[in-house]
Amino acid sequence: MGRHSLPDGSAPERTGARSGARRRTLVLATGLVLAVAAGSVVALRGGLLPFGGPCDGPSARLDVAASPDIAPALEAVARQARRDATRTDGRCLDVRVTARAAHDLADAFGQRPVDPEFQVWIPDSSLWVDRVEAERGTPLTAAGAVASSPVVLGAVPTTAAALGWPRTTYTWTRLIRRATSGDAPRLGVADPARSAAGLLALARISAGDTKDTGNADEARTRTAATAKLLHQRIADGDGPALATLPRDGSRAERDNPRRNQALLLSEQAAYAHNTTAGGGPDLDLFYPRDGAARLDYPYTLVDEAAMSPEQARAASRFLTLLGESEGRRTLRGHGFRTENGAADPKVTGAAGGRAPQPYSASPADPPTGKELQALLGRWTVTVQNIRLTTVVDASPSMAGPVPGDGRSRMDLTRNSLLQALATFTPEDEIGLWRFATLLDGAKDYAELSPTDRLGDRVAGGGTHRDALTAAFGSLAPVPRGATGLYDTTLAAYRQARATYASGKLNALVVVTDGANDDAVGLGLDALVDKLKGLSDPGKPVPLIALAIGPAADTAALRHMVAPTGGSAQRVADPSQLHQALIKALMTAGGTRPR
């Protein structure tokens, strides 16, 4: 047991829905209440709702996927419901909880169609639900939050004392600067691409830098520098991050360079650490006075339209149980705050919070989905230097207008790729090809700019970035020709493999609006065989195919990228091509060998 005291069984009364709750949440909650009420009337008339008594008949099964941190609390509520013979539709409520990492399920639900094995999903943050919605994946409906936990900085006692805990309070900017400069402690964080706590902490750091500098470019530069420092101590997820803390108070553990002395993490994670026997030295928590980010644990229905009425009422019943006094007491006993974020001093004390740290302050406004997407993109291109060749379709069809916009596919593609270029650093290596058919003698492709370091100086003055910007600006459809997709892809992939740069994320990106129609070139099966022969897991070069326009052959593109470990996706709006590119690079960077 840690130094910090544990909460008692008292339960504060519900104070209302969390601020900023979505309108759809209220509509859904009302619908669920009406549904369960209607079912209850029918059940009561038929004598189907006996209260108490053993569960010896058929049960109402509900499968719930939950973030690993909250899954034990949910399972405890579900077990109590079985012991109490809690009923819905006259049947005993049988809730089965499965712990699943939120980023894994977000990836799965982002694909469509999907046949979900769960009716309810409770990730640690709404950002995962928003991401699935942005990708137009599996339909999700948030029915309210069941708990919350602020994201803070935790430090082992010696480090916390050196930082002035508990008397000294910091803004995010001052706290991170103090924790990453001079004789700073070893500060760890879970990968923002895999952890809501890591991403929300990075968002608060970015917001603090923006407020502190008043200049967007300077703020991005400062946040990027912090990201590079954090990346040196990164962990794959929240659990692995906690495992980097000292295992005991010995000097050997304290001085071990592989052990972190501080972490960016949730209050609940600190609570679990401090109240677990043998968990190592307790953590003391710093709550930034300009507002902590917050995990909000949304109760989310998975493909509500496909749920049976019985499943819908079971989902409503379980949500009700979590909001009742016993359910809330169970959640507090696992270190969670109520859904509106109100602090319980005993929970906070056990987690490592102490006045005058502002642990009762209102949380910061959550970042928008667009802000998080941009931040993740900057994280990807900042912490991983990239070698990337972009190959753009210049066949006549790229001159076609985009419905509802009036500009051509090539116009929007060119502008979007220029936006992507602006996110890369001087250390990144970027190049550009275009293709159609017979662009360079018998070749279907032509190199417009070599794949070189953006910060390098070039003949005639300026940098490679300047020259590449001009090359992107020159992209235009050719007046005649076809789409030599397969021959071009093979040639570009061969060059990418031959010029592989160790220590960087190497990738080849192909942008096309059509299908291969080069009558004298390679076929799809021949291309796939050759790519299989070229691929090397030890030196991965994922092929990323971005399909724009209704004629793009996405089935062929998926077949084409498979041997390389890459990805293919359709981009309905060419102006959003840069976002699709950054997301694909994030995926490639997250799955490549480390």
Side-chain angles (χ1 to χ4, degrees):
M1 200 74 106
R3 291 178 290 117
H4 302 290
S5 59
L6 297 176
D8 59 20
S10 61
E13 293 300 316
R14 183 184 296 270
T15 58
R18 64 190 175 97
S19 61
R22 302 173 191 167
R23 183 175 300 169
R24 64 177 182 179
T25 296
L26 180 58
V27 171
L28 174 68
T30 303
L32 282 175
V33 169
L34 290 175
V36 75
S40 299
V41 170
V42 172
L44 285 169
R45 286 175 178 171
L48 299 178
L49 279 181
F51 294 95
C55 280
D56 53 4
S59 61
R61 173 74 175 263
L62 182 71
D63 286 288
V64 177
S67 185
D69 52 350
I70 200 170
L74 300 176
E75 178 57 36
V77 175
R79 283 197 306 270
Q80 189 61 47
R82 289 192 288 271
R83 286 194 293 266
D84 293 345
T86 301
R87 297 175 186 265
T88 176
D89 277 346
R91 300 181 176 188
C92 287
L93 181 63
D94 182 17
V95 179
R96 304 297 175 92
V97 179
T98 302
R100 291 286 295 272
H103 71 89
D104 284 341
L105 275 186
D107 287 343
F109 288 149
Q111 305 299 314
R112 187 178 179 141
V114 68
D115 182 15
E117 56 184 304
F118 306 103
Q119 292 80 55
V120 173
W121 179 32
I122 307 178
D124 54 3
S125 173
S126 294
L127 70 85
W128 302 113
V129 179
D130 293 339
R131 193 179 100 180
V132 174
E133 289 182 339
E135 294 171 2
R136 300 179 181 178
T138 303
L140 301 174
T141 315
V146 299
S148 67
S149 189
V151 177
V152 294
L153 186 143
V156 297
T158 53
T159 297
L163 293 173
W165 185 88
R167 295 180 306 278
T168 305
T169 61
Y170 297 90
T171 63
W172 274 101
T173 295
R174 286 190 61 234
L175 179 61
I176 297 303
R177 187 179 301 169
R178 178 70 179 82
T180 57
S181 61
D183 58 348
R186 294 183 293 271
L187 174 62
V189 65
D191 187 348
R194 295 169 173 265
S195 162
L199 180 55
L200 290 170
L202 189 63
R204 293 304 302 146
I205 293 168
S206 176
D209 287 340
T210 299
K211 182 177 180 180
D212 190 56
T213 63
N215 180 286
D217 289 337
E218 184 181 347
R220 280 194 293 268
T221 300
R222 182 185 290 183
T223 304
T226 300
K228 280 189 175 293
L229 289 172
L230 292 175
H231 191 259
Q232 296 173 12
R233 313 285 309 179
I234 198 170
D236 280 343
D238 300 307
L242 285 168
T244 66
L245 292 168
R247 292 173 294 188
D248 55 50
S250 67
R251 182 168 184 174
E253 282 289 290
R254 185 176 68 244
D255 295 342
N256 186 341
R258 300 181 64 181
R259 296 293 177 192
N260 287 317
Q261 299 161 310
L263 284 180
L264 293 166
L265 78 174
S266 73
E267 180 185 78
Q268 189 278 332
Y271 177 98
H273 173 84
N274 289 355
T275 58
T276 299
D282 282 2
L283 293 174
D284 298 318
L285 301 185
F286 290 88
Y287 295 76
R289 60 174 182 261
D290 49 345
R294 185 174 67 169
L295 302 178
D296 62 347
Y297 300 91
Y299 191 92
T300 310
L301 302 186
V302 181
D303 199 359
E304 181 189 8
M307 292 172 64
S308 68
E310 292 78 11
Q311 288 173 328
R313 287 192 283 270
S316 177
R317 188 72 180 98
F318 189 51
L319 176 59
T320 299
L321 290 177
L322 294 173
E324 291 175 348
S325 59
E326 186 61 35
R328 291 156 68 86
R329 186 177 298 113
T330 299
L331 287 163
R332 284 201 311 279
H334 285 76
F336 293 96
R337 297 189 179 195
T338 56
E339 80 284 356
N340 62 13
D344 182 313
K346 294 200 173 185
V347 170
T348 300
R354 184 184 299 173
Q357 294 295 320
Y359 59 79
S360 294
S362 298
D365 290 336
T368 66
K370 184 177 291 187
E371 289 170 341
L372 288 175
Q373 181 67 28
L375 188 62
L376 264 179
R378 291 202 298 275
W379 167 266
T380 300
V381 301
T382 296
V383 303
Q384 303 177 47
N385 289 327
I386 291 173
R387 179 176 174 81
L388 176 69
T389 301
T390 305
V391 182
V392 179
D393 192 340
S395 60
S397 59
M398 287 290 284
V402 173
D405 186 282
R407 288 175 291 178
S408 71
R409 292 188 196 118
M410 181 61 87
D411 289 337
L412 295 178
T413 297
R414 180 175 57 242
N415 293 342
S416 195
L417 290 174
L418 283 169
Q419 289 183 61
L421 177 61
T423 67
F424 294 110
T425 72
E427 297 299 321
D428 295 321
E429 301 175 34
I430 313 293
L432 176 64
W433 292 24
R434 66 170 184 157
F435 73 96
T437 50
L438 306 178
L439 285 184
D440 182 8
K443 297 178 181 178
D444 294 338
Y445 49 86
E447 184 182 68
L448 298 183
S449 185
T451 305
D452 288 335
R453 184 176 168 276
L454 288 175
D456 285 349
R457 308 298 296 183
V458 297
T463 64
H464 178 57
R465 184 191 297 273
D466 299 326
L468 187 59
T469 299
F472 273 118
S474 72
L475 281 171
V478 297
R480 293 178 298 278
T483 306
L485 175 62
Y486 298 158
D487 284 352
T488 300
T489 298
L490 179 60
Y493 198 82
R494 277 177 171 157
Q495 179 166 308
R497 284 288 295 111
T499 57
Y500 181 88
S502 297
K504 296 191 174 184
L505 170 58
N506 292 248
L508 174 67
V509 174
V510 175
V511 181
T512 183
D513 76 335
N516 182 77
D517 56 4
D518 181 4
V520 298
L522 282 172
L524 178 59
D525 290 340
L527 171 63
V528 170
D529 286 342
K530 290 183 180 296
L531 291 175
K532 285 179 181 177
L534 288 168
S535 296
D536 178 0
K539 294 182 177 180
V541 182
L543 171 59
I544 296 168
L546 302 177
I548 58 176
D553 189 349
T554 52
L557 294 175
R558 291 191 183 100
H559 193 39
M560 193 171 82
V561 305
T564 73
S567 61
Q569 59 180 299
R570 181 179 293 278
V571 183
D573 182 355
S575 69
Q576 302 304 307
L577 198 66
H578 63 292
Q579 294 184 8
L581 172 58
I582 294 299
K583 178 190 171 188
L585 289 173
M586 284 165 44
T587 301
T591 58
R592 79 189 198 285
R594 297 199 170 195

